[in-house]
Amino acid sequence: MMNANEISAINELLATPKQITIIPHRNPDGDAMGSTLGLYHFLKQLGHQATVMAPNDFPDFLAWLPGSENTLIYEKETERCQAQLNTSDLIFTLDFNALHRTGDQMGGFLATLSKTFIMIDHHQWPDSYAKYIYSDTSMSSTCEMVYHFIHFLEKQNLINETVATCIYTGLVTDTGSFRFASTTSTTHEVAADLIKRGIKNAQIHNNLFDTSSYNRLQLLGKALQNMQLLEDYKTSYITLTQDELDAYQHKKGDTEGFVNYGLSIKGIDLTAIFIENKEEGIIKISFRSQGDFDVNQFARNYFNGGGHINAAGGKSNLSLTETVNQFVTIVKETRNENS
Ligand code: 5GP
Ligand code: MN
């Protein structure tokens, strides 16, 4: 929740036309793109000059989102983006809790700016760079928070079909289509209201999940075949090497959702996927859990990451084999066998 003073201060800021930059996290997902674009279409209706600026490119499966074609990519057009940030009156940061989540380069630059930042985010333990912080870890998605934020400002009449479509996207993607524990009755009420506002919910789901390439499904097949079980520790994990990704002409976003299959096995409550990225020289890791096991804590403690209790990510500079060995060792040391 934001308090009444904060809300009226923000309403005052938004009362005159401003140049506003809206930033999602690096490797933006459906919630990051949906929330930034939803806010963008909202702020444009208020007469602001709004720009969504992503640290790096967004995946193709989100390219249908209205306004995504106007997104500036910091990694591709660094000078233009820095100039834009220098002249911004207001900077919204959405779906992340620390500036380094935009990457070392962009995060470093953002940290040098003396601008008014507004954070809207649902991750644990937000940093304090923002003047106004709307942080709520009980929220299903940042998109759900953008919906509430617009209501705090009492401007819900501006949630038109375009804004609603963007917001619905993050609801769907961050809740695994309304099935994760983060889905609340309020989440469903928000979804219902968005449908009333005219979104084509089945079409949105289709755009998000039924546009796979043949190669992507073959890669999923490979990932599932690579899955290993540590049954005594209720744990599973998947690996994908760069060579395997290359063999199926892997594109950004292709591995989205693969990690969830690891939890779909009976008795498994912790899973991970390790994806080799030769270009960045890292192993990108996603963690998922069911129930009490806190993968945010786990990712922070051992793999330079973070996120939520049941969904988190991290990275490793070791080789794929070494990273997996490290994971297996930690699991065996820290999880109780057969309990
Ligand atoms: P995913 O596994 O889908 O990439 O991310 C799961 C959740 O963890 C998301 O909420 C994402 O923002 C967060 N996350 C992913 N990677 C990292 C990371 O390297 N650092 C931190 N702090 N959070 C991450
Ligand atoms: Mn999110």
Side-chain angles (χ1 to χ4, degrees):
M1 246 326 257
M2 302 194 93
N3 70 41
N5 289 338
E6 292 173 308
I7 291 161
S8 64
I10 293 171
N11 254 329
E12 210 155 294
L13 280 173
L14 296 179
T16 52
K18 295 272 185 315
Q19 194 177 324
I20 302 176
T21 303
I22 312 163
I23 303 173
H25 58 75
R26 195 174 157 78
N27 299 321
D29 57 8
D31 190 33
M33 289 309 294
S35 59
T36 52
L37 287 167
L39 187 66
Y40 160 84
H41 290 292
F42 166 73
L43 292 171
K44 289 215 333 181
Q45 292 178 74
L46 287 175
H48 300 293
Q49 209 185 7
T51 310
V52 175
M53 185 185 294
N56 61 349
D57 226 338
F58 54 85
D60 280 350
F61 79 91
L62 297 172
W64 61 273
L65 275 167
S68 67
E69 66 281 5
N70 301 325
T71 303
L72 291 183
I73 309 293
Y74 186 90
E75 193 176 78
K76 281 190 191 159
E77 293 189 278
T78 305
E79 277 181 26
R80 181 176 170 197
C81 287
Q82 291 184 344
Q84 158 83 31
L85 286 164
N86 279 324
T87 56
S88 293
D89 302 306
L90 211 53
I91 300 173
F92 278 90
T93 65
L94 267 57
D95 200 34
F96 65 91
N97 55 0
L99 292 179
H100 68 79
R101 293 281 294 122
T102 61
D104 293 343
Q105 304 298 319
M106 187 173 179
F109 184 77
L110 291 173
T112 67
L113 297 173
S114 49
K115 299 280 180 187
T116 303
F117 283 86
I118 302 179
M119 178 202 289
I120 304 178
D121 181 51
H122 65 139
H123 292 91
Q124 313 261 319
W125 305 336
D127 271 3
S128 56
Y129 60 86
K131 177 159 186 189
Y132 301 104
I133 299 180
Y134 174 28
S135 163
D136 188 343
T137 57
S138 75
M139 285 283 158
S140 69
S141 55
T142 301
C143 277
E144 183 174 337
M145 298 176 76
V146 168
Y147 175 93
H148 297 310
F149 179 74
I150 294 173
H151 279 73
F152 297 159
L153 303 178
E154 295 180 25
K155 295 188 170 30
Q156 55 271 29
N157 59 319
L158 297 183
I159 303 180
N160 59 17
E161 188 190 334
T162 307
V163 174
T165 295
C166 296
I167 292 177
Y168 190 78
T169 294
L171 290 192
V172 169
T173 55
D174 260 28
T175 62
S177 302
F178 302 102
R179 78 184 189 277
F180 298 153
S182 57
T183 310
T184 65
S185 59
T186 309
T187 313
H188 281 290
E189 280 164 7
V190 171
D193 185 45
L194 299 175
I195 292 171
K196 281 184 199 149
R197 289 172 193 265
I199 60 161
K200 315 279 187 295
N201 51 312
Q203 183 64 50
I204 293 171
H205 202 276
N206 184 280
N207 291 344
L208 288 168
F209 303 115
D210 301 329
T211 55
S212 268
S213 62
Y214 180 73
N215 273 330
R216 176 177 180 270
L217 284 197
Q218 297 290 304
L219 181 64
L220 171 60
K222 186 77 212 169
L224 295 178
Q225 291 198 320
N226 288 351
M227 189 187 292
Q228 300 288 323
L229 292 183
L230 301 168
E231 264 183 301
D232 290 345
Y233 299 90
K234 297 180 172 177
T235 301
S236 65
Y237 62 90
I238 291 172
T239 56
L240 282 172
T241 65
Q242 184 72 60
D243 285 345
E244 288 166 338
L245 296 165
D246 292 345
Y248 298 101
Q249 281 97 49
H250 163 263
K251 290 200 314 298
K252 197 181 198 79
D254 276 358
T255 55
E256 197 79 37
F258 286 12
V259 65
N260 296 312
Y261 286 93
L263 278 186
S264 65
I265 297 175
K266 189 170 183 182
I268 299 296
D269 63 13
L270 170 66
T271 195
I273 186 168
F274 299 87
I275 302 175
E276 187 177 31
N277 184 331
K278 281 237 164 101
E279 198 185 321
E280 294 190 24
I282 59 163
I283 308 301
K284 179 69 190 128
I285 315 165
S286 289
F287 300 101
R288 297 292 185 269
S289 65
Q290 240 154 35
D292 294 338
F293 190 81
D294 183 347
V295 286
N296 168 50
Q297 192 73 57
F298 187 83
R300 275 181 194 256
N301 285 353
Y302 305 111
F303 293 100
N304 286 307
H308 313 277
I309 290 172
N310 294 133
K315 49 192 165 304
S316 163
N317 295 314
L318 302 175
S319 72
L320 182 61
T321 311
E322 288 166 334
T323 306
V324 168
N325 287 342
Q326 187 192 7
F327 172 75
V328 171
T329 303
I330 294 167
V331 163
K332 289 186 174 173
E333 280 173 2
T334 61
R335 304 201 88 206
N336 298 327
E337 216 172 322
N338 291 318
S339 73

